[in-house]
Amino acid sequence: MKLDSKVPSGPLPDKWTKHKFESKLVNPANKRKYSAIVVGSGLAGASAAATLAELGYVVSCFCFQDSPRRAHSIAAQGGINGAKNYQNDGDSVYRLFYDTIKGGDFRGREANTYRLAEVSVNIIDQCVAQGVPFARDYGGLLDNRSFGGAQVSRTFYARGQTGQQLLLGAYSALSRQIGLGTVEMHTRTEMLDLVVVDGRTRGIVVRDLITGKISSHAADAVLLATGGYGNVFYLSTNAKACNVTAAYRAYKKGALFANPCYTQIHPTCIPVAGDYQSKLTLMSESLRNDGRIWVPKKVGDNRAAADIPEAERDYYLERKYPSFGNLAPRDISSRSAKEVCDEGRGVGETKVGVYLDFADAINRLGKNVITERYGNLFDMYERITGEDPYTVPMRIYPASHYTMGGLWVDYNLESTIPGLFVLGEANFSDHGANRLGASALMQGLADGYFVIPYTLGDFYARSKQSGITTDHEAFKKAEQEAIDRQEKFLSINGKRSVDSFHRELGKVMWDYCGMGRNEAGLKKALEMIPPIREEFWQNVKVLGNGDELNQSLEKAGRVADFLEFAEIMCHDALDREESCGAHFREEYQTEEGEAKRNDKKYTYVAAWEYNGVGVKPNLHKEELEFENVELATRSYK
């Protein structure tokens, strides 16, 4: 299979403009003849559904939450990047592009990354017009703050609830279309499978999570905007329901999965408190603007933070990366925290944590300023830990957060299955091997508001409607397979809960395919996963039945897919014999412990093709060409 990225020719700054002009258009009167299914109602899904409906297409939107407002985009805290240069500090579209390419350790596609930076300025205007209450300075102008991996202030924010406010803006646009009858909204409905007829996407099979009814829906195109797969680690910052199922089902039908080992570990999360914890809580990266990260210099120092004098503290990020300090990128900051804890200098009861200290900032700026910037985050931390971060340092530790890997897409956001488009975190396209902070919200809205309306229109204009409906045999077959799978879950009647299998898998993945990977560990994981999967299908206990609300059944389907998908991650990590971004192979590091890339062998996107359960998938490569940036050792010192 040859991967055609369909990147337009010409100078980098002109590619998107040229591509839009050369894209075919659909006559306004003909748009209502074309239908689109959007799976997911987060920033990417809601913005895409609203925009396509506004253009005149017939849109159906599906989400498993009880409202689009509950999509996981709501959990994003710190901000959204936009190359506006309002601070007059040297920012530009090109600088945002370069920071993103560099932050991804030169493993991203130039054209997609530049387009993201280019449309970022429009996203801010769009959101302001929708009434998103971005923070403003004393004069009433939009404020900005810094984020990791950048030396300019380009991040727009709404305290620590930026994702929520942006989602409400997209939701308002979606609700308008629902009210007009141009979007048919299906809540509490989960996608179980993708339907492909004659090599082209024709629709989806879903389950109504309230009634249990399994049904099919046909359309001229399907857009997956279903987020990432970070919950493969069990403990993560993702909502418990976040899963890989929609993307994995598409993968099994022929969509290639790209760079699955690129999983981001976020450095500022509340540490694990016990063996039976179900998820972790993110503390926004924006806190690193004013919080200083440190641990005791002495191994095994059990004194309270206030009792450790300044001279006996190691502000290790400031020491190791003086240019960026506490705002070093996430992958580097996460590994540095693990390093000091592995040395025995961690803090807290578990000794798996580091301090994020605001004492200096409060003394310098005053408590009121810190409250204005981060008050809701401080309140959240205190409710969870019982500690007041205004008076004692926060304790943080890295955790699974975002996934840069996803279904492979070309410049048009189309997968290797014609008619299947993938948006936001569900695709691989923009971040390379590591995502810089405040870029996820940017990508989701860029894809939904400004990219897919052009590229989907071009697809419709170039393709013929087939007239295939849900009466087609392919839909009946997919429905029956979904029913059979559900009945299989319910018939096993074993002795172990679904969560116990998920927790066991997550520990294997965290231990051997987490912040640090090595050949022996990855091979061990590949040996350990199949027996867990085999026991799952023999000994899982799924309560209830399929004709009602049944969260145990929902979980079973998602965990079953994780048990297969985890192997792809390990194969990808094992195959890539280099360290880059969030993928840190311990055999490939510099004397100073930094990631050591191998540009001669691995400057490509690894796109994996399904080859059967438990069988190593086939590898396809999209070679990355860097015409506008020079490959360089990534340094933040």
Side-chain angles (χ1 to χ4, degrees), residues 77-80 86-87 124 127-128 131-145 155-162 165-166 369 371-374:
Q77 296 172 352
I80 176 172
Y86 283 166
Q87 305 299 318
I124 305 305
C127 295
V128 169
V132 174
F134 286 126
R136 295 178 181 267
D137 63 20
Y138 181 78
L141 301 178
L142 293 178
D143 201 5
N144 295 112
R145 58 188 177 199
T155 303
F156 296 79
Y157 65 99
R159 296 186 75 184
Q161 48 188 251
T162 312
Q165 299 304 326
L166 290 172
V369 172
T371 301
E372 287 175 5
R373 292 177 179 175
Y374 316 111

Side-chain angles (χ1 to χ4, degrees), residues 12 83 91-104 108-118 120 154 430 436 442 626-629:
L12 188 64
D91 200 12
S92 65
V93 167
Y94 189 86
R95 188 176 293 278
L96 175 52
F97 154 72
Y98 182 78
D99 285 348
T100 306
I101 283 283
K102 176 186 174 184
R109 188 190 290 155
E110 271 193 348
N112 287 67
T113 306
Y114 188 89
R115 178 175 63 187
L116 176 64
E118 183 180 356
S120 69
R154 64 163 67 101
D430 292 4
L436 292 186
M442 177 173 61
F626 293 94
E627 300 174 351
N628 299 273
V629 298

Side-chain angles (χ1 to χ4, degrees), residues 33-95:
K33 299 178 182 178
Y34 291 93
S35 58
I37 286 173
V38 179
V39 185
S41 64
L43 288 180
S47 59
T51 305
L52 294 174
E54 183 74 38
L55 287 170
Y57 298 111
V58 178
V59 179
S60 298
C61 185
F62 295 79
C63 72
F64 58 60
Q65 296 92 350
D66 54 10
S67 165
R69 290 175 300 156
R70 297 292 297 276
H72 190 57
S73 298
I74 200 170
Q77 296 172 352
I80 176 172
N81 287 329
K84 287 286 196 180
N85 195 31
Y86 283 166
Q87 305 299 318
N88 197 30
D89 56 1
D91 200 12
S92 65
V93 167
Y94 189 86
R95 188 176 293 278

Side-chain angles (χ1 to χ4, degrees), residues 41 111 159 190-191 225 236 246 469 562 572 574 593 595:
S41 64
R159 296 186 75 184
E190 182 166 27
M191 174 180 161
S236 87
T469 68
F562 275 136
D572 189 38
L574 184 60

Side-chain angles (χ1 to χ4, degrees), residues 261-574:
C261 78
Y262 289 167
T263 52
Q264 181 173 77
I265 310 299
H266 197 293
T268 50
C269 304
I270 298 177
V272 177
D275 291 339
Y276 293 96
Q277 192 165 339
S278 62
K279 75 176 301 294
L280 297 172
T281 302
L282 173 71
M283 287 285 101
S284 169
E285 181 176 303
S286 63
L287 293 167
R288 294 198 280 153
N289 274 287
D290 290 304
R292 299 180 70 194
I293 296 172
W294 65 275
V295 292
K297 289 183 178 180
K298 181 182 176 182
V299 172
D301 192 334
N302 294 319
R303 290 176 292 176
D307 296 332
I308 301 176
E310 192 74 13
E312 297 179 32
R313 301 179 179 187
D314 180 14
Y315 295 91
Y316 57 89
L317 288 178
E318 297 174 27
R319 169 174 57 81
K320 294 171 65 177
Y321 308 103
S323 292
F324 284 75
N326 295 299
L327 286 174
R330 292 177 176 178
D331 59 327
I332 289 171
S333 301
S334 294
R335 285 197 297 272
S336 296
K338 180 180 185 297
E339 181 182 298
V340 295
C341 290
D342 288 348
E343 292 172 358
R345 297 193 286 142
V347 302
E349 290 184 9
T350 65
K351 300 302 179 185
V352 183
V354 300
Y355 286 130
L356 179 60
D357 195 339
F358 288 86
D360 284 356
I362 291 172
N363 290 335
R364 184 178 71 255
L365 302 171
K367 182 179 177 179
N368 289 340
V369 172
I370 298 302
T371 301
E372 287 175 5
R373 292 177 179 175
Y374 316 111
N376 61 312
L377 296 172
F378 277 48
D379 293 344
M380 182 170 67
Y381 181 89
E382 184 172 11
R383 282 197 299 272
I384 292 171
T385 66
E387 299 173 357
D388 178 8
Y390 290 105
T391 58
V392 297
M394 288 185 180
R395 288 176 295 107
I396 58 169
Y397 193 70
S400 166
H401 179 56
Y402 185 89
T403 55
M404 288 74 64
L407 293 180
W408 185 91
V409 293
D410 61 19
Y411 192 69
N412 296 317
L413 304 184
E414 189 174 14
S415 74
T416 48
I417 306 176
L420 176 66
F421 294 79
V422 190
L423 286 65
E425 189 180 359
N427 74 36
F428 88 99
S429 67
D430 292 4
H431 305 298
N434 177 58
R435 179 178 70 84
L436 292 186
S439 294
L441 307 183
M442 177 173 61
Q443 186 203 348
L445 292 179
D447 288 354
Y449 282 137
F450 298 108
V451 178
I452 200 65
Y454 289 96
T455 61
L456 184 63
D458 179 73
F459 170 78
Y460 285 148
R462 294 177 186 274
S463 59
K464 295 181 180 179
Q465 293 176 288
S466 67
I468 290 177
T469 68
T470 55
D471 293 328
H472 192 279
E473 183 60 29
F475 283 93
K476 302 302 179 186
K477 181 182 178 183
E479 277 189 35
Q480 189 58 51
E481 288 174 351
I483 292 170
D484 292 345
R485 192 166 187 255
Q486 177 176 290
E487 291 179 351
K488 173 66 173 174
F489 288 135
L490 294 166
S491 68
I492 297 171
N493 197 30
K495 297 181 178 179
R496 287 185 59 183
S497 68
V498 176
D499 277 342
S500 72
F501 285 102
H502 194 179
R503 188 183 293 110
E504 184 178 359
L505 173 69
K507 186 175 187 331
V508 171
M509 295 303 291
W510 181 254
D511 287 346
Y512 301 116
C513 196
M515 271 192 284
R517 298 105 184 251
N518 58 59
E519 181 180 2
L522 290 165
K523 287 181 176 179
K524 184 173 182 179
L526 286 169
E527 291 175 357
M528 296 175 71
I529 294 168
I532 300 173
R533 182 171 64 239
E534 184 178 346
E535 186 187 356
F536 173 87
W537 285 105
Q538 295 176 353
N539 197 30
V540 72
K541 178 79 171 180
V542 179
L543 304 171
N545 62 67
D547 300 324
E548 61 184 3
L549 174 66
N550 188 339
Q551 292 185 320
S552 180
L553 181 60
E554 294 170 32
K555 288 180 184 178
R558 297 164 187 168
V559 172
D561 288 330
F562 275 136
L563 284 165
E564 295 180 16
F565 172 72
E567 285 188 303
I568 310 171
M569 285 179 60
C570 293
H571 280 303
D572 189 38
L574 184 60

